[in-house]
Amino acid sequence: MNVLGVVPARGGSKGIPNKNVTTIAGRPMLAYTADAVRGSRRLTRAVVSTDDEAIARVARELGLEVPFLRPAELAADGTPMLPVLQHAVRELAGSGFVADAVVLLQPTSPLRRAEHIDRAVDLLEATGADSVVSVVEVPHQFTPTSIMRLDGERLRPYADGPIVTRRQDKPRVYARNGPAVVAVRTSVLERGSLYGDDCRPMVMSAADSVDIDGPEDLASADLLLMRRIQIPYRRPDEYQRVDIAQLRPGGSYRQLIEKRTHPIDELVRAHGRIPDDLLAPRPCPTCGEREASLELEKDHMRLVRCAACDLVYVTPTFDEAHYKTVYRSSEYQEIVRDLGIGSHEYRVQRFGRERVDLMARHLRPARPSAASAWI
């Protein structure tokens, strides 16, 4: 079965400008759908349908195919999805690729993974259904028996019948989660339907079902995606000896310390310790979790391990406002940059390319990482 993945990514979004390529967890939103496409074993081919040259350029940089630009009349705010999919099928059929089924993959579902795509196509093939759509279980407080309406100034049940208060007695109901995945036979699209008569559900978890519509959704997805980052940090007793001369070449780290406006040693000499009013406890810089266990206490700093993602990090640190004073020198910032560039090859050799690449890929400009990574 020839299965075509279609990623609709028009320009001109209103709620979040440039939504389909806005940065989320350090990457363009479209990148997460690109990951899912690359990891799928059931997609024969996948294309991006966009009217926007800038989005097309980002898509190609992510390794996605953009064989055509969508016409403007199919890229308006109110354009339904059906004609967009029909257009993609026709365009590819004209160049010789005939799809038996189409999988709709909206970029606004960045937590959908390759396994969800494959499960939907497997279910479509196994059942002979017209379509498969991803759904999420509706929280019990939002089921029909729980929903209320206003009758003047009074609150009334929305649905007729007895009021159900126990969660266990409420019906289990499901809602489309974007949808993150729609797998539909091409013959159904040709008949003018997106789902057909026989539509089967593929249940996804609430965490995987985040649908980006507004800034609040973006923040939720950002946190969930950061939790997924797996960087193989070692425990202190597993650390191997590091060649300091290669890791901090040319005396760059000494220069770094000297250029601090308020070196740590000077603060300790003056106050006996780093003053509390300059420090702020921080959550895990990767996933935001605040629970952590102590790994090591040394040089007036505490090394802790995140309970959620296993990241080892320092807390407390100078608060963000104080970073601007401590690390304000442009010369200091140049040393930080040169230090990282000069030691890159050694870090790859010593820590492994995967770990170094992961750290660089998920470094987020909003954090004061450039400074804190070296203290």
Side-chain angles (χ1 to χ4, degrees), residues 97-109:
F97 181 84
V98 178
D100 301 302
V102 174
V103 179
L104 169 64
L105 299 168
Q106 301 188 86
T108 48
S109 295

Side-chain angles (χ1 to χ4, degrees), residues 116-132:
H116 298 124
I117 299 172
D118 294 342
R119 190 149 54 95
V121 177
D122 288 345
L123 186 58
L124 182 74
E125 194 169 46
T127 61
D130 290 336
S131 65
V132 172

Side-chain angles (χ1 to χ4, degrees), residues 3 25 35 39 69 73 100 104 114 128 142 151 167 177 193 204 233 242 246 252 287 296 302 307 337 350 357 367:
V3 182
D35 290 347
L69 284 180
E73 61 268 22
D100 301 302
L104 169 64
F142 301 130
D151 181 8
R167 176 179 56 81
N177 60 352
S193 175
M204 291 174 57
Y233 286 90
V242 174
Q246 293 193 65
S252 54
C287 73
L296 194 65
R302 297 173 73 247
R337 186 184 65 249
R350 169 64 181 76
D357 287 350
R367 297 186 193 139

